[in-house]
Amino acid sequence: MTATARPQQRPTGSVMAAAKLAFATVATRGRLITSVGGVLFFVVLALVLQTSADLTQDEGREVAVGAYFLLLLPLMCVSNASLAFGNAVQDGTLVYIWLRPIARWKLALAHVAGTVASLLPMIVALSLATFAFGSSPRFVGSVALASLLTALGYSGPTVALGARFKRAPMMALTYVILIETILVGLLGRISIRNYGIAFFTRLIGDDAAFFTNLVFPGEDIDPSLRPSMLTAVLVLTLVSAAGVGLTTLFLKRADVA
Amino acid sequence: MSTQAAVSLTNVTKWFGDVVALNDVTVDVGSGVTALLGPNGAGKSTMLRLLCGLTPPSQGTIRVLGRDPRAEPSLDGRLALVAQQEALPESFNAITFLTHLADLSGVRSPKDAAKACLDRVELDPADGRRLKTYSKGMRQRVKVAQALLTDPEVLVLDEPLEGLDPRQRLLLIGLFQDLGVEGRTVLVSSHVLEEVERFGSRVVMLAQGRLAAEGDYHDIRDLMDDRPHRIRVVTDQPRPLANALVQASAVSQVSFPTEGVLICETEAVGVFRRAVISEARNVGARVTEIKPLDDDLESVFRYLVQHR
């Protein structure tokens, strides 16, 4: 038997500390090379199209940015976010994070923040590339801002998937391919990517015609695929917040191996 | 100020589907080192996971330092675990991993804390190699080091000596003993009974998910009154001494396995000890050794496990 006095308050972990750990977990050298390399690939693609397909510099730039929003950004987002907790869930090291004196919501929020931070090199690389293509500061800023908001939208729910399911990367990839690509005409309302793209097109305003045609080909565009800027911001923010809430719940209920 | 056990399980049951891993276990563990024993599948790891809050009990109540470890993970860093699984985040090196965990725990000067803990388990904080290159023994010591980061009051160790070489085992046994002497509650599960005896004599024994015994294993042995104690006596006159002990009703059975050795069986150890001295004097025998043969932990453990 032991005498136990009223325990003194001890320090607990901060969101910043957890975000640093999440960033270090997600932002591996391989993923950084893949994301920045992806940007370089689209830049080269734009240059090739300018010379071979007789596109203007602006058109070439928008093809590259369009491909980035359609393909690279969603794939890197779900890849990084699903592994933020997913790595620990898969290899059985979640116990080291779980048994730390830090509120579960802080852990969840920090892992979303860490995931978004891990995508910054790619976003900066694309912003610099568009600037090099002679884009206006507004266009460059719009690319960066829309990328961040889209990354936030993807990261919330995908971090939650990673905290709950071992097959989270596959599930998130299936969502991008099935819902956001193959069935986008039917299920556009639940496509995170579409809200991100809508936000971007609203930001760049009148210059959006070519880009909109690229992303939403066809004459009869479903209005639901082109939400207003406010709707896009609200949806992406709320989706991310819901993801943080779900992650918190999953962590609280987790049966940690 | 209230007086209570640091770790308390009350009527705790845990089942996974149809499998009952732990069945109505009630046990209190106080400060110092306590060994958790049981054969494979006895429910040791389940019990340790439960009291760290890693999984909820199906029934019953668990309190660590008076609080619910499921609702308050790590109890502000007062509770720490060395988990059984070998896995560590492979992309980190030891100092980076521990610094992150210290930072995550709100420890002041996380890097200094990480260095101190690595030093304590004799790992080099300057070793920049990734954890995936570490041997099993080194990984085990990293796991122990991370558990020390928050200066925990309750330390739960699930098979912490596995994979260690003899020198490292001695190091960690000494460390656990020191932590116990400092007044912390150290609960160590192990299946290597010889090592468990070196932690101390306090044990909690599980068998088939149930509590088989708890307390000092010497006391437990004394309570096993349906089984006579076997005692080896080395003397220069075994037969006269055996006769005298039988006459004095101090033994129920005697045998002579080798020259000069007498094996006695008795239900009453206290009576036997007094009798052997007086009867040896009476017959003029010189006794050079009296040694209990089944008072060790292994004997107690085997008896309890086989009789369930």
Side-chain angles (χ1 to χ4, degrees):
Chain A
M1 302 287 270
T2 184
T4 309
R6 178 86 188 151
Q8 288 182 328
Q9 192 67 34
R10 284 187 171 201
T12 55
S14 65
V15 173
M16 181 56 80
K20 280 196 281 185
L21 174 61
F23 180 83
T25 303
V26 171
T28 60
R29 195 181 303 164
R31 289 207 195 96
L32 289 175
I33 290 171
T34 304
S35 61
V36 175
V39 169
L40 287 176
F41 172 79
F42 289 127
V43 168
V44 171
L45 179 71
L47 290 172
V48 170
L49 286 174
Q50 275 179 43
T51 52
S52 62
D54 205 19
L55 297 182
T56 65
Q57 191 180 37
D58 282 356
E59 288 168 341
R61 174 199 67 187
E62 287 177 356
V63 167
V65 173
Y68 159 81
F69 273 109
L70 284 172
L71 194 65
L72 187 61
L73 183 61
L75 291 181
M76 288 312 303
C77 282
V78 297
S79 162
N80 286 12
S82 62
L83 292 173
F85 277 117
N87 263 344
V89 170
Q90 283 171 25
D91 65 17
T93 57
L94 182 63
V95 63
Y96 299 110
I97 305 168
W98 198 91
L99 262 182
R100 292 289 144 192
I102 178 170
R104 308 294 93 166
W105 70 266
K106 286 184 182 176
L107 271 181
L109 181 65
H111 277 68
V112 171
T115 302
V116 174
S118 75
L119 296 162
L120 283 177
M122 177 182 72
I123 295 170
V124 169
L126 186 78
S127 302
L128 289 175
T130 54
F131 186 72
F133 267 79
S135 301
S136 65
R138 180 182 175 183
F139 189 93
V140 176
S142 300
V143 166
L145 202 56
S147 297
L148 281 174
L149 191 64
T150 309
L152 190 68
Y154 275 112
S155 296
T158 316
V159 165
L161 273 182
R164 179 65 183 83
F165 301 104
K166 285 192 173 177
R167 291 172 181 257
M170 194 53 69
M171 293 165 78
L173 193 63
T174 304
Y175 166 79
V176 171
I177 293 170
L178 195 66
I179 307 291
E180 299 207 306
T181 308
I182 298 172
L183 300 174
V184 69
L186 288 171
L187 301 171
R189 283 176 197 277
I190 58 168
S191 166
I192 290 168
R193 182 172 70 189
N194 280 358
Y195 288 98
I197 290 170
F199 178 68
F200 176 67
T201 58
R202 302 287 182 191
L203 277 177
I204 57 175
D206 294 340
D207 299 334
F210 178 87
F211 183 82
T212 308
N213 287 334
L214 178 76
V215 176
F216 306 116
E219 293 179 1
D220 297 323
I221 299 169
D222 182 344
S224 69
L225 297 179
R226 301 187 62 192
S228 69
M229 186 185 293
L230 180 64
T231 306
V233 171
L234 278 177
V235 167
L236 292 173
T237 309
L238 288 175
V239 161
S240 193
V244 171
L246 269 178
T247 307
T248 306
L249 191 69
F250 290 156
L251 289 175
K252 280 186 174 175
R253 292 186 176 177
D255 221 332
V256 184
Chain B
M1 186 185 241
S2 63
T3 301
Q4 60 188 72
V7 174
S8 176
L9 281 77
T10 309
N11 303 119
V12 171
T13 296
K14 178 70 183 180
W15 56 76
F16 298 99
D18 294 337
V19 179
V20 180
L22 214 58
N23 194 352
D24 198 26
V25 170
T26 297
V27 65
D28 288 342
V29 180
S31 61
V33 183
T34 301
L36 177 62
L37 301 175
N40 285 340
K44 301 189 298 290
S45 290
T46 301
M47 181 172 153
L48 297 185
R49 287 181 62 217
L50 282 164
L51 67 86
C52 287
L54 298 178
T55 187
S58 306
Q59 284 178 357
T61 310
I62 298 165
R63 289 289 177 267
V64 177
L65 301 171
R67 296 153 72 182
D68 179 359
R70 180 70 179 166
E72 302 175 71
S74 91
L75 310 173
D76 302 336
R78 290 179 168 82
L79 167 66
L81 167 73
V82 174
Q84 189 178 18
Q85 66 261 36
E86 204 183 310
L88 288 168
E90 305 218 316
S91 58
F92 291 121
N93 59 38
I95 187 72
T96 310
F97 176 51
L98 261 69
T99 303
H100 275 302
L101 293 184
D103 202 11
L104 201 55
S105 306
V107 172
R108 208 172 290 167
S109 308
K111 193 159 190 175
D112 291 340
K115 279 181 183 172
C117 291
L118 287 172
D119 276 337
R120 201 156 182 194
V121 296
E122 293 190 352
L123 282 173
D124 181 8
D127 186 351
R129 287 178 300 159
R130 290 184 177 190
L131 291 171
K132 68 179 174 188
T133 66
Y134 273 28
S135 68
K136 192 169 182 179
M138 292 171 82
R139 284 165 172 261
Q140 201 71 331
R141 283 183 285 157
V142 170
K143 284 161 55 183
V144 173
Q146 65 80 29
L148 301 175
L149 282 170
T150 53
D151 195 22
E153 291 165 36
V154 177
L155 195 59
V156 176
L157 306 126
D158 197 352
E159 303 280 1
L161 303 178
E162 235 176 46
L164 297 176
D165 65 35
R167 205 186 72 79
Q168 293 164 357
R169 282 173 187 240
L170 279 178
L171 168 79
L172 288 194
I173 288 170
L175 174 63
F176 303 151
Q177 285 169 335
D178 290 347
L179 292 168
V181 169
E182 288 169 14
R184 296 171 209 277
T185 300
V186 183
L187 186 57
V188 192
S189 91
S190 178
H191 61 268
V192 184
L193 299 177
E194 189 186 323
E195 284 165 358
V196 169
E197 280 185 302
R198 291 152 95 171
F199 291 137
S201 57
R202 217 161 356 142
V203 295
V204 171
M205 291 190 191
L206 292 177
Q208 294 169 6
R210 287 181 175 274
L211 182 68
E214 66 162 309
D216 186 302
Y217 67 80
H218 300 295
D219 296 341
I220 296 170
R221 174 63 188 95
D222 288 342
L223 289 171
M224 290 159 25
D225 51 10
D226 61 332
R227 184 188 184 199
H229 293 256
R230 296 180 74 237
I231 300 167
R232 172 188 151 103
V233 179
V234 179
T235 175
D236 57 347
Q237 296 189 50
R239 289 182 189 278
L241 180 57
N243 275 334
L245 288 170
V246 171
Q247 294 290 327
S249 301
V251 293
S252 55
Q253 199 173 326
V254 289
S255 58
F256 306 94
T258 53
E259 185 63 33
V261 175
L262 181 61
I263 303 293
C264 303
E265 290 192 6
T266 178
E267 275 83 27
V269 178
V271 171
F272 172 81
R273 283 185 188 279
R274 283 190 294 277
V276 78
I277 292 165
S278 60
E279 296 304 330
R281 195 182 301 127
N282 291 343
V283 300
R286 184 166 170 266
V287 175
T288 52
E289 183 184 288
I290 302 174
K291 185 182 177 188
L293 292 179
D294 54 4
D295 191 32
D296 61 334
L297 180 57
E298 187 169 346
S299 301
V300 175
F301 178 74
R302 280 194 183 147
Y303 174 83
L304 288 169
V305 170
Q306 284 166 4
H307 283 70
R308 291 203 69 86

